[in-house]
Amino acid sequence: MSTRSVVLITVDSLRSDHVGFLSDTVENTPQMDALANDAALATDATAPSSHTRASVPALLTSQYSHRYFANFFHDIEAPTLSTYLSEAGYNTAAFHSNPLISRHFGYDEGFDEFYDGLRFVESTQLPETVTSMYSKLLRLLSRFPYEPAESVTKRARKWLSEAQEPFFLWVHYMDPHGPYALNRQLGYLDKYRSERLWQKAVTSPDEVSDAERDRLRAAYRDEVGHTDKYLGKLIEAVDGMNETILALTGDHGEEFYEHGQYSHPAELYETTTNVPLIVDVPGSDGTDTPTTPLSGLDIVPTILDALDIEPRTGLAGESLIPTLSGRRLDREQVIAETNRGQTAVFGVRTQRWKYIVAEEGKELYDLSVDPGEQNDLSGTEPAIESRLEEHLASHVDSHDVEGGDKLATVAEEMDTEVRDRLNDLGYL
């Protein structure tokens, strides 16, 4: 078994066309671009789902997202990357501040050190009313509803400076997630302006003016650039160490009214599922842009393969180690899943086609000429539709797919701090 260290970086709400190495018009991600230039593989991929609660657990386990629709992460017995590496003797740590992927839901399993920004999720000697009031006060005084990139990076760098190799480090950045800071220099004044506009966009998208949409887009781009700056400082701390496997991706993308909504709704268009994917395995030859579609589900199999660790369960993704040597994966399509109300929505993507199936109907897009998915071709390409429908039917028949999402239904039973922070981020 190889004992190279591993760094996994996930960025919330990071869509591909806002990253420089995937877009000729973007110039504010020099750190990601430099990382992509040096990496064995730098391309785009399909996220497992359109929202964090279903996508991140899929990324960490290489299990399809539908397993987490009607279940929380701690309800599913699936080995995670952290448990595999902890059992292999790795020192493990994670740093982020998203309550959806906190220790409250079991994400600390397999980590020696786990920071999620929660202060009172464990029982304390104080009454819940006291801890709730104190938590609300701290959140009121906080500039952002999450811990910003500079703070998360500082914590991760400190841990790295003391970590014994081999180690596994997972860092999740929240900054591109709404509410986007319209002007960070204005401090608290900007906080309330930003939150008001973002809430308007999420709850009343049709009422957002063109000028307001432009402000939201610009703020989002700035947040991606802000994240990139501190991501570079994290990579700088890793560069001086021995051979380290590094992977970076987004858990999902972000919508700016391209299909009538904002944020990351329960849709499977490219705006919410197309994300960057960087994989750097020391010793790999590198590859040109793959000719087969890739998935975030491929990250765990790739790392385990690179470390010669045999998975204990079947994995939904495939190892990209052959791709890193220029070979072609033996698959033509990947699948993304989300849940709308009590039903599941499926998306099948090939290099050229996107096929979306929901309770309301079916959609087909030719991405080679319509990357914005504005011209629905369903019913006009029977041979293509039949082939993708057959693949999707095989997928559904092979899995026990449940729709629904119990997050809102059990919100009142949650720890007060977790529930309040989920509200701040628009999850409830």
Side-chain angles (χ1 to χ4, degrees):
M1 185 191 79
S2 172
T3 55
R4 287 178 286 188
S5 293
V6 178
V7 175
L8 171 62
I9 302 171
T10 51
V11 182
D12 215 294
S13 309
L14 184 64
R15 55 187 272 180
S16 284
D17 59 0
H18 283 62
V19 175
F21 76 90
L22 292 171
S23 173
D24 294 335
T25 62
V26 176
E27 298 179 351
N28 69 329
T29 58
Q31 304 303 325
M32 272 185 264
D33 299 349
L35 178 63
N37 185 60
D38 292 338
L41 173 69
T43 184
D44 63 344
T46 295
S49 187
S50 64
H51 61 96
T52 299
R53 198 178 88 72
S55 192
V56 170
L59 288 171
L60 297 178
T61 61
S62 192
Q63 301 295 310
Y64 282 113
S65 288
H66 67 252
R67 298 195 66 184
Y68 305 99
F69 289 166
N71 299 282
F72 289 125
F73 184 63
H74 53 44
D75 297 329
I76 302 296
E77 294 183 2
T80 65
L81 186 56
S82 60
T83 56
Y84 277 119
L85 298 186
S86 178
E87 290 168 2
Y90 277 60
N91 298 299
T92 56
F95 299 91
H96 70 82
S97 65
N98 189 328
L100 272 183
I101 53 176
S102 66
R103 72 196 104 141
H104 181 81
F105 297 108
Y107 283 85
D108 58 335
E109 183 179 356
F111 286 104
D112 303 317
E113 184 165 343
F114 187 86
Y115 179 83
D116 55 17
L118 295 179
R119 296 176 176 87
F120 302 115
V121 71
E122 298 106 342
S123 59
T124 70
Q125 300 300 314
L126 297 173
E128 184 180 0
T129 53
V130 175
T131 59
S132 175
M133 290 177 60
Y134 185 49
S135 176
K136 289 178 187 297
L137 177 62
L138 290 176
R139 290 186 299 105
L140 182 64
L141 295 175
S142 297
R143 173 67 181 80
F144 304 100
Y146 51 81
E147 195 154 321
E150 51 266 44
S151 177
V152 172
T153 299
K154 183 178 180 180
R155 293 179 186 278
R157 281 176 60 104
K158 183 178 185 302
W159 183 84
L160 279 170
S161 69
E162 303 168 352
Q164 296 294 313
E165 299 186 63
F167 61 78
F168 168 50
L169 171 66
W170 172 38
V171 177
H172 182 83
Y173 289 108
M174 283 293 294
D175 302 70
H177 189 288
Y180 329 112
L182 298 173
N183 187 339
R184 284 177 175 263
Q185 282 66 46
L186 294 180
Y188 285 96
L189 175 60
D190 179 63
K191 172 182 178 178
Y192 301 114
R193 291 168 60 244
S194 301
E195 288 177 350
R196 281 200 305 272
L197 180 55
W198 185 66
Q199 287 295 336
K200 178 182 179 180
V202 172
T203 59
S204 305
D206 295 337
E207 297 178 12
V208 175
S209 68
D210 291 345
E212 288 174 326
R213 186 179 311 129
D214 290 342
R215 290 173 65 201
L216 287 166
R217 283 182 176 277
Y220 172 78
R221 285 195 297 270
D222 288 346
E223 295 287 35
V224 173
H226 182 78
T227 303
D228 180 79
K229 174 182 177 181
Y230 289 96
L231 185 150
K233 294 182 181 299
L234 177 65
I235 301 303
E236 181 182 70
V238 175
D239 280 345
M241 300 182 173
N242 293 332
E243 291 190 338
T244 301
I245 298 170
L246 189 145
L248 181 148
T249 193
D251 63 343
H252 53 73
E254 197 80 339
E255 176 90 1
F256 289 96
Y257 206 66
E258 290 90 346
H259 300 92
Q261 297 186 73
Y262 290 87
S263 189
H264 34 281
E267 307 286 356
L268 293 177
Y269 301 113
E270 293 291 277
T271 50
T272 54
T273 61
N274 193 247
V275 295
L277 176 64
I278 298 174
V279 179
D280 193 18
V281 177
S284 297
D285 297 331
T287 180
D288 295 328
T289 301
T291 57
T292 53
L294 306 184
S295 168
L297 295 167
D298 299 329
I299 292 175
V300 167
T302 301
I303 293 173
L304 294 182
D305 189 7
L307 297 175
D308 298 319
I309 296 176
E310 190 70 27
R312 294 196 299 273
T313 60
L315 303 178
E318 297 184 45
S319 170
L320 299 181
I321 296 299
T323 300
L324 300 184
S325 301
R327 283 176 281 165
R328 190 176 188 275
L329 285 182
D330 186 24
R331 71 177 176 202
E332 299 298 328
Q333 59 275 308
V334 293
I335 286 179
E337 305 166 313
T338 192
N339 48 322
R340 186 183 303 153
Q342 296 301 309
T343 62
V345 181
F346 301 94
V348 184
R349 191 195 194 283
T350 70
Q351 284 292 87
R352 177 177 177 180
W353 299 95
K354 167 72 79 63
Y355 186 52
I356 301 172
V357 178
E359 190 175 48
E360 298 83 354
K362 303 172 182 178
E363 300 170 66
L364 179 69
Y365 299 97
D366 184 350
L367 301 177
S368 66
V369 296
D370 180 26
E373 296 164 298
Q374 299 297 313
N375 183 24
D376 180 9
L377 298 176
S378 57
T380 68
E381 296 280 352
I384 298 296
E385 238 177 301
S386 176
R387 175 166 60 86
L388 297 178
E389 181 78 44
E390 182 179 349
H391 179 76
L392 181 57
S394 175
H395 170 76
V396 174
D397 289 345
S398 302
H399 298 87
D400 184 17
V401 178
E402 293 183 73
D405 189 335
K406 69 179 183 180
L407 183 64
T409 61
V410 300
E412 291 306 314
E413 304 169 12
M414 290 181 183
D415 176 274
T416 303
E417 181 186 5
V418 176
R419 184 175 64 247
D420 289 345
R421 287 189 53 192
L422 289 173
N423 265 314
D424 288 347
L425 290 163
Y427 292 128
L428 292 175

XYZ file of all heavy atoms in Angstrom, residues 96-173:
664
model
N -14.106 23.191 7.846
C -15.152 23.855 7.062
C -16.130 24.495 8.045
O -15.917 24.473 9.257
C -15.870 22.854 6.151
C -16.737 21.876 6.877
N -18.012 22.182 7.289
C -16.522 20.602 7.293
C -18.544 21.143 7.906
N -17.649 20.167 7.927
N -17.218 25.073 7.518
C -18.223 25.644 8.416
C -19.620 25.532 7.836
O -20.436 26.440 7.983
C -17.898 27.116 8.719
O -17.995 27.903 7.540
N -19.903 24.424 7.181
C -21.242 24.183 6.639
C -21.995 23.247 7.579
O -21.597 22.093 7.753
C -21.149 23.558 5.248
C -22.509 23.481 4.555
O -23.537 23.312 5.202
N -22.505 23.601 3.252
N -23.086 23.701 8.206
C -23.801 22.852 9.170
C -24.380 21.583 8.558
O -24.584 20.596 9.268
C -24.917 23.770 9.691
C -25.077 24.823 8.646
C -23.715 25.029 8.062
N -24.621 21.587 7.243
C -25.171 20.393 6.604
C -24.185 19.235 6.596
O -24.592 18.075 6.501
C -25.576 20.701 5.159
C -26.978 21.241 4.912
C -27.207 21.408 3.423
C -28.034 20.336 5.512
N -22.900 19.541 6.674
C -21.882 18.481 6.647
C -21.074 18.522 7.949
O -19.865 18.312 7.953
C -20.983 18.609 5.403
C -20.374 20.014 5.279
C -21.770 18.288 4.145
C -19.409 20.160 4.117
N -21.789 18.766 9.035
C -21.159 18.903 10.348
C -21.183 17.587 11.109
O -21.755 16.584 10.667
C -21.898 19.974 11.155
O -23.223 19.547 11.446
N -20.585 17.616 12.282
C -20.581 16.430 13.148
C -21.998 16.075 13.612
O -22.274 14.941 13.979
C -19.664 16.676 14.339
C -20.182 17.644 15.368
C -19.077 18.116 16.274
N -18.697 19.471 15.909
C -18.384 20.398 16.803
N -18.376 20.114 18.083
N -18.065 21.602 16.420
N -22.914 17.050 13.569
C -24.312 16.782 13.925
C -24.888 15.673 13.055
O -25.758 14.922 13.496
C -25.133 18.064 13.763
C -26.572 17.912 14.127
N -27.026 17.957 15.431
C -27.675 17.696 13.364
C -28.343 17.788 15.447
N -28.749 17.630 14.211
N -24.404 15.567 11.815
C -24.897 14.555 10.881
C -23.896 13.418 10.684
O -24.058 12.605 9.774
C -25.233 15.201 9.541
C -26.333 16.218 9.629
C -26.063 17.567 9.506
C -27.647 15.834 9.863
C -27.069 18.516 9.598
C -28.661 16.772 9.962
C -28.371 18.115 9.829
N -22.844 13.370 11.491
C -21.919 12.239 11.464
C -20.718 12.389 10.561
O -19.976 11.424 10.352
N -20.464 13.578 10.049
C -19.352 13.760 9.116
C -17.983 13.725 9.783
O -16.957 13.716 9.101
C -19.517 15.067 8.333
C -20.543 14.964 7.233
C -21.891 15.169 7.489
C -20.166 14.632 5.939
C -22.841 15.061 6.492
C -21.107 14.515 4.931
C -22.446 14.735 5.210
O -23.386 14.609 4.211
N -17.946 13.734 11.098
C -16.658 13.677 11.793
C -16.089 12.258 11.867
O -14.949 12.067 12.316
C -16.796 14.249 13.209
C -17.847 13.520 14.034
O -18.777 12.934 13.442
O -17.759 13.554 15.271
N -16.851 11.265 11.404
C -16.377 9.879 11.474
C -15.086 9.708 10.676
O -14.984 10.137 9.520
C -17.442 8.926 10.929
C -17.032 7.462 11.036
C -18.095 6.518 10.506
O -19.180 6.988 10.115
O -17.818 5.311 10.488
N -14.091 9.120 11.302
C -12.826 8.847 10.636
C -11.825 9.983 10.712
O -10.715 9.855 10.209
N -12.194 11.092 11.366
C -11.287 12.231 11.463
C -10.732 12.366 12.877
O -11.472 12.328 13.853
C -11.995 13.528 11.073
C -12.245 13.666 9.598
C -13.517 13.456 9.068
C -11.201 13.975 8.738
C -13.746 13.575 7.710
C -11.413 14.092 7.378
C -12.697 13.895 6.850
N -9.415 12.552 12.966
C -8.779 12.815 14.253
C -9.098 14.229 14.720
O -9.286 14.474 15.918
C -7.257 12.651 14.144
C -6.865 11.267 13.656
O -7.460 10.286 14.139
O -5.972 11.178 12.792
N -9.132 15.155 13.784
C -9.504 16.539 14.093
C -10.570 16.971 13.101
O -10.419 16.774 11.888
C -8.302 17.471 14.027
C -8.639 18.903 14.428
C -7.415 19.753 14.705
O -6.326 19.171 14.912
O -7.543 20.990 14.716
N -11.653 17.556 13.621
C -12.778 17.920 12.754
C -13.334 19.250 13.216
O -13.873 19.365 14.315
C -13.862 16.837 12.819
C -14.980 17.035 11.829
C -14.871 16.546 10.537
C -16.137 17.706 12.186
C -15.892 16.722 9.616
C -17.167 17.887 11.279
C -17.050 17.387 9.988
N -13.177 20.264 12.383
C -13.683 21.602 12.716
C -14.815 21.956 11.766
O -14.640 21.956 10.543
C -12.576 22.653 12.602
C -13.090 24.035 12.916
C -13.195 24.461 14.237
C -13.502 24.895 11.906
C -13.702 25.726 14.538
C -13.998 26.160 12.197
C -14.103 26.562 13.519
O -14.617 27.806 13.808
N -16.008 22.265 12.329
C -17.160 22.625 11.507
C -17.805 23.945 11.926
O -18.881 24.293 11.444
C -18.207 21.510 11.514
C -18.635 21.124 12.923
O -18.391 21.903 13.857
O -19.224 20.030 13.087
N -17.163 24.661 12.837
C -17.686 25.955 13.241
C -18.823 25.914 14.230
O -19.272 26.968 14.699
N -19.303 24.728 14.587
C -20.382 24.624 15.571
C -19.807 24.768 16.975
O -18.768 24.195 17.287
C -21.108 23.283 15.443
C -21.877 23.061 14.134
C -22.535 21.679 14.146
C -22.934 24.133 13.927
N -20.503 25.508 17.815
C -19.993 25.762 19.160
C -20.720 24.947 20.225
O -20.141 24.575 21.230
C -20.129 27.252 19.492
C -19.283 28.155 18.596
C -19.526 29.627 18.905
N -18.651 30.493 18.117
C -18.938 30.935 16.903
N -20.072 30.589 16.347
N -18.109 31.713 16.252
N -22.007 24.683 20.011
C -22.795 24.091 21.095
C -23.512 22.813 20.687
O -24.479 22.410 21.319
C -23.846 25.098 21.589
C -23.255 26.383 22.070
C -23.513 27.564 21.412
C -22.420 26.407 23.177
C -22.960 28.758 21.857
C -21.863 27.591 23.621
C -22.137 28.778 22.958
N -23.057 22.179 19.603
C -23.778 20.995 19.162
C -23.649 19.857 20.167
O -24.525 19.024 20.303
C -23.308 20.548 17.757
C -21.907 19.964 17.819
C -24.296 19.569 17.154
N -22.536 19.817 20.904
C -22.445 18.831 21.972
C -23.176 19.356 23.201
O -23.386 20.551 23.350
C -20.984 18.556 22.343
C -20.171 17.979 21.227
C -19.225 19.003 20.646
O -19.466 20.211 20.884
O -18.267 18.594 19.962
N -23.543 18.461 24.084
C -24.240 18.877 25.304
C -23.298 19.706 26.165
O -22.104 19.462 26.234
C -24.716 17.652 26.089
O -23.626 16.837 26.436
N -23.840 20.734 26.792
C -23.075 21.580 27.701
C -23.784 21.614 29.040
O -24.872 21.074 29.205
C -22.960 23.016 27.158
O -24.254 23.631 27.225
C -22.477 23.029 25.722
N -23.159 22.270 30.002
C -23.772 22.397 31.323
C -24.799 23.525 31.352
O -25.536 23.676 32.322
C -22.670 22.669 32.370
C -21.623 21.562 32.466
C -22.238 20.229 32.840
O -23.058 20.150 33.763
N -21.868 19.184 32.121
N -24.858 24.311 30.290
C -25.779 25.442 30.251
C -27.125 25.029 29.680
O -27.207 24.137 28.827
C -25.187 26.565 29.399
C -23.875 27.184 29.894
C -23.329 28.143 28.855
C -24.085 27.889 31.226
N -28.213 25.668 30.098
C -29.532 25.388 29.517
C -29.548 25.727 28.033
O -28.837 26.633 27.578
C -30.467 26.315 30.305
C -29.718 26.689 31.521
C -28.267 26.665 31.169
N -30.386 25.034 27.282
C -30.435 25.266 25.840
C -30.847 26.697 25.518
O -30.383 27.275 24.532
C -31.405 24.291 25.165
C -31.403 24.446 23.650
C -32.355 23.495 22.967
O -33.022 22.721 23.662
O -32.427 23.546 21.723
N -31.703 27.287 26.337
C -32.122 28.668 26.071
C -30.927 29.621 26.109
O -30.835 30.563 25.325
C -33.171 29.124 27.094
O -32.665 28.895 28.421
C -34.474 28.382 26.897
N -29.989 29.359 27.021
C -28.808 30.213 27.139
C -27.890 30.022 25.934
O -27.430 30.990 25.311
C -28.045 29.924 28.437
C -26.755 30.741 28.497
C -28.923 30.219 29.643
N -27.614 28.764 25.599
C -26.728 28.515 24.453
C -27.370 29.011 23.156
O -26.683 29.505 22.267
C -26.406 27.018 24.329
O -27.618 26.272 24.160
C -25.671 26.514 25.551
N -28.701 28.894 23.046
C -29.386 29.371 21.852
C -29.258 30.880 21.710
O -28.963 31.402 20.633
C -30.862 28.975 21.898
O -31.558 29.519 20.800
N -29.472 31.604 22.799
C -29.368 33.061 22.760
C -27.942 33.497 22.442
O -27.719 34.428 21.660
C -29.820 33.651 24.093
C -31.313 33.537 24.345
S -31.787 34.162 25.974
C -31.247 35.869 25.853
N -26.963 32.827 23.033
C -25.571 33.175 22.792
C -25.194 32.886 21.342
O -24.505 33.667 20.689
C -24.663 32.410 23.753
C -23.217 32.799 23.664
C -22.822 34.136 23.689
C -22.223 31.828 23.541
C -21.490 34.494 23.610
C -20.882 32.187 23.461
C -20.529 33.518 23.499
O -19.209 33.876 23.410
N -25.679 31.744 20.823
C -25.408 31.384 19.441
C -26.011 32.415 18.485
O -25.382 32.831 17.507
C -25.974 29.997 19.130
O -25.798 29.666 17.773
N -27.249 32.852 18.771
C -27.896 33.857 17.926
C -27.123 35.176 17.950
O -26.975 35.854 16.922
C -29.341 34.086 18.388
C -30.289 32.932 18.106
C -31.674 33.237 18.631
C -32.605 32.032 18.517
N -32.827 31.631 17.111
N -26.617 35.548 19.121
C -25.859 36.780 19.245
C -24.574 36.701 18.420
O -24.215 37.655 17.705
C -25.526 37.058 20.712
C -24.650 38.296 20.987
C -25.367 39.562 20.526
C -24.302 38.376 22.469
N -23.877 35.577 18.513
C -22.648 35.414 17.752
C -22.918 35.464 16.251
O -22.157 36.070 15.493
C -21.967 34.094 18.120
C -21.361 34.007 19.520
C -20.821 32.603 19.766
C -20.245 35.039 19.697
N -24.004 34.849 15.829
C -24.341 34.863 14.407
C -24.737 36.260 13.947
O -24.439 36.673 12.823
C -25.462 33.868 14.114
C -25.025 32.414 14.230
C -26.093 31.429 13.810
N -27.286 31.527 14.630
C -28.415 32.087 14.239
N -28.511 32.607 13.027
N -29.467 32.124 15.027
N -25.418 37.006 14.829
C -25.790 38.378 14.495
C -24.552 39.245 14.309
O -24.504 40.121 13.437
C -26.680 38.949 15.599
C -27.212 40.369 15.382
C -28.143 40.402 14.172
C -27.939 40.866 16.623
N -23.539 38.998 15.125
C -22.315 39.795 15.065
C -21.351 39.320 13.983
O -20.411 40.034 13.640
C -21.609 39.763 16.429
C -22.368 40.410 17.595
C -21.612 40.198 18.900
C -22.607 41.895 17.337
N -21.578 38.135 13.455
C -20.689 37.591 12.427
C -20.956 38.269 11.091
O -22.112 38.531 10.725
C -20.891 36.080 12.285
O -20.548 35.411 13.471
N -19.897 38.540 10.372
C -20.020 39.208 9.073
C -20.659 38.293 8.042
O -21.375 38.737 7.148
C -18.610 39.639 8.626
C -18.519 40.210 7.231
C -19.233 41.539 7.105
N -19.126 42.009 5.727
C -19.898 41.578 4.731
N -20.829 40.695 4.944
N -19.736 42.067 3.504
N -20.417 36.981 8.137
C -20.934 36.015 7.170
C -21.630 34.871 7.895
O -21.308 34.580 9.057
C -19.800 35.442 6.318
C -18.984 36.480 5.611
C -17.755 36.891 6.119
C -19.433 37.057 4.437
C -17.001 37.850 5.485
C -18.687 38.019 3.784
C -17.463 38.430 4.314
N -22.569 34.176 7.249
C -23.231 33.027 7.874
C -22.387 31.757 7.814
O -22.892 30.666 8.030
C -24.516 32.875 7.045
C -24.151 33.396 5.709
C -23.182 34.516 5.947
N -21.118 31.901 7.502
C -20.165 30.794 7.444
C -18.810 31.360 7.824
O -18.622 32.582 7.926
C -20.107 30.192 6.037
C -19.890 31.226 4.966
C -18.618 31.727 4.692
C -20.964 31.747 4.243
C -18.414 32.707 3.749
C -20.771 32.734 3.287
C -19.496 33.211 3.042
O -19.291 34.185 2.108
N -17.834 30.497 8.025
C -16.478 30.962 8.305
C -15.779 31.209 6.972
O -15.713 30.311 6.134
C -15.719 29.927 9.136
C -14.468 30.482 9.764
C -14.084 29.725 11.025
O -14.978 29.350 11.811
O -12.873 29.533 11.220
N -15.266 32.425 6.742
C -14.705 32.753 5.431
C -13.420 32.001 5.131
O -12.773 31.420 6.005
C -14.467 34.264 5.517
C -14.351 34.550 6.969
C -15.245 33.566 7.660
N -13.030 32.070 3.860
C -11.905 31.277 3.362
C -10.610 31.557 4.104
O -9.820 30.641 4.361
C -11.715 31.540 1.863
N -10.386 32.824 4.490
C -9.133 33.139 5.154
C -9.019 32.432 6.505
O -7.938 31.964 6.889
C -8.971 34.652 5.340
C -10.142 35.365 5.971
C -11.109 35.941 4.959
O -11.423 35.234 3.976
O -11.549 37.087 5.150
N -10.129 32.319 7.226
C -10.119 31.661 8.527
C -9.965 30.150 8.386
O -9.194 29.518 9.117
C -11.397 32.000 9.294
O -11.439 31.326 10.523
N -10.719 29.566 7.442
C -10.633 28.118 7.228
C -9.225 27.735 6.784
O -8.653 26.742 7.258
C -11.677 27.677 6.179
C -11.477 26.212 5.796
C -13.095 27.888 6.718
N -8.648 28.520 5.895
C -7.286 28.246 5.419
C -6.283 28.345 6.558
O -5.358 27.525 6.671
C -6.911 29.219 4.292
O -7.823 29.042 3.198
C -5.489 28.970 3.811
N -6.430 29.346 7.408
C -5.515 29.515 8.534
C -5.540 28.299 9.445
O -4.490 27.806 9.891
C -5.886 30.774 9.313
C -4.951 31.078 10.479
C -5.356 32.367 11.180
C -4.428 32.673 12.350
N -4.824 33.929 13.047
N -6.737 27.787 9.731
C -6.848 26.601 10.586
C -6.200 25.390 9.913
O -5.495 24.605 10.562
C -8.321 26.313 10.887
C -8.999 27.364 11.752
C -10.473 27.009 11.979
N -11.176 28.064 12.679
C -11.164 28.248 13.998
N -10.474 27.396 14.749
N -11.834 29.234 14.550
N -6.445 25.232 8.620
C -5.892 24.081 7.904
C -4.366 24.168 7.815
O -3.661 23.164 7.987
C -6.506 24.000 6.512
N -3.838 25.351 7.567
C -2.381 25.519 7.482
C -1.707 25.240 8.822
O -0.622 24.649 8.868
C -2.048 26.937 7.005
C -2.206 27.137 5.501
C -1.940 28.601 5.123
N -0.597 29.006 5.482
C 0.408 29.157 4.625
N 0.224 28.899 3.340
N 1.593 29.564 5.032
N -2.362 25.660 9.898
C -1.803 25.391 11.224
C -1.721 23.881 11.466
O -0.716 23.366 11.963
C -2.635 26.057 12.314
C -2.066 25.871 13.736
C -2.913 26.601 14.755
C -2.278 26.515 16.150
N -2.090 25.127 16.604
N -2.783 23.183 11.113
C -2.780 21.727 11.297
C -1.693 21.092 10.423
O -0.963 20.205 10.873
C -4.148 21.152 10.953
C -4.235 19.667 11.187
C -4.510 19.027 12.356
C -4.017 18.639 10.201
N -4.477 17.674 12.163
C -4.184 17.407 10.867
C -3.716 18.643 8.850
C -4.051 16.182 10.204
C -3.576 17.432 8.186
C -3.744 16.217 8.863
N -1.564 21.548 9.194
C -0.557 21.008 8.288
C 0.855 21.205 8.827
O 1.721 20.338 8.654
C -0.666 21.681 6.918
C -1.740 21.155 5.964
C -1.869 22.073 4.761
C -1.424 19.732 5.525
N 1.094 22.337 9.488
C 2.439 22.622 9.988
C 2.861 21.648 11.075
O 4.062 21.497 11.354
C 2.500 24.053 10.528
O 1.733 24.188 11.720
N 1.888 20.964 11.687
C 2.191 20.036 12.775
C 1.877 18.589 12.427
O 2.143 17.684 13.215
C 1.393 20.443 14.025
C 1.662 21.874 14.482
C 0.662 22.344 15.529
O -0.316 21.600 15.778
O 0.852 23.438 16.084
N 1.279 18.362 11.263
C 0.785 17.031 10.916
C 1.921 16.071 10.589
O 2.914 16.429 9.949
C -0.167 17.123 9.726
N 1.769 14.845 11.040
C 2.687 13.772 10.694
C 2.197 13.095 9.414
O 1.008 12.809 9.265
C 2.752 12.752 11.829
C 3.321 13.307 13.127
C 4.786 13.680 13.005
O 5.588 12.902 12.487
N 5.145 14.865 13.490
N 3.105 12.842 8.500
C 2.733 12.144 7.270
C 2.748 10.640 7.497
O 3.526 10.157 8.312
C 3.692 12.534 6.147
C 3.659 14.043 5.828
C 4.500 14.390 4.624
O 4.167 13.888 3.531
O 5.484 15.130 4.790
N 1.880 9.904 6.787
C 0.921 10.388 5.793
C -0.319 10.977 6.471
O -0.715 10.559 7.548
C 0.560 9.125 5.011
C 0.680 8.028 6.024
C 1.835 8.424 6.900
N -0.925 11.939 5.803
C -2.124 12.578 6.344
C -3.197 12.672 5.267
O -2.918 12.594 4.071
C -1.813 13.966 6.898
C -1.277 14.932 5.875
C -2.121 15.568 4.964
C 0.078 15.231 5.820
C -1.633 16.454 4.018
C 0.579 16.112 4.877
C -0.287 16.726 3.973
N -4.426 12.838 5.729
C -5.544 13.149 4.841
C -6.188 14.423 5.355
O -6.624 14.495 6.506
C -6.576 12.018 4.814
C -7.878 12.412 4.145
C -7.877 13.009 2.892
C -9.094 12.198 4.778
C -9.068 13.384 2.277
C -10.292 12.557 4.167
C -10.280 13.151 2.911
N -6.242 15.430 4.489
C -6.851 16.709 4.839
C -7.996 17.002 3.895
O -7.824 16.956 2.668
C -5.799 17.836 4.734
C -6.337 19.273 4.871
C -6.881 19.519 6.273
C -5.236 20.283 4.531
N -9.162 17.300 4.454
C -10.320 17.734 3.660
C -10.666 19.160 4.057
O -10.857 19.448 5.246
C -11.511 16.801 3.897
C -12.798 17.293 3.277
C -12.946 17.934 2.073
C -14.121 17.182 3.828
N -14.274 18.220 1.838
C -15.016 17.776 2.903
C -14.620 16.636 5.002
C -16.389 17.830 3.132
C -15.995 16.694 5.236
C -16.870 17.284 4.300
N -10.717 20.045 3.079
C -11.107 21.434 3.305
C -12.278 21.771 2.392
O -12.221 21.509 1.179
C -9.935 22.403 3.031
C -10.387 23.855 3.211
C -8.769 22.102 3.958
N -13.338 22.322 2.993
C -14.522 22.719 2.220
C -14.718 24.217 2.382
O -14.901 24.717 3.494
C -15.757 21.955 2.718
C -17.007 22.276 1.944
N -17.314 21.663 0.751
C -18.023 23.146 2.193
C -18.477 22.128 0.304
N -18.912 23.041 1.159
N -14.680 24.953 1.264
C -14.851 26.411 1.278
C -16.303 26.779 0.974
O -16.907 26.244 0.040
C -13.940 27.069 0.250
C -12.478 27.035 0.621
C -11.584 26.196 -0.053
C -11.978 27.856 1.628
C -10.232 26.178 0.276
C -10.629 27.838 1.963
C -9.773 26.999 1.291
O -8.432 26.984 1.624
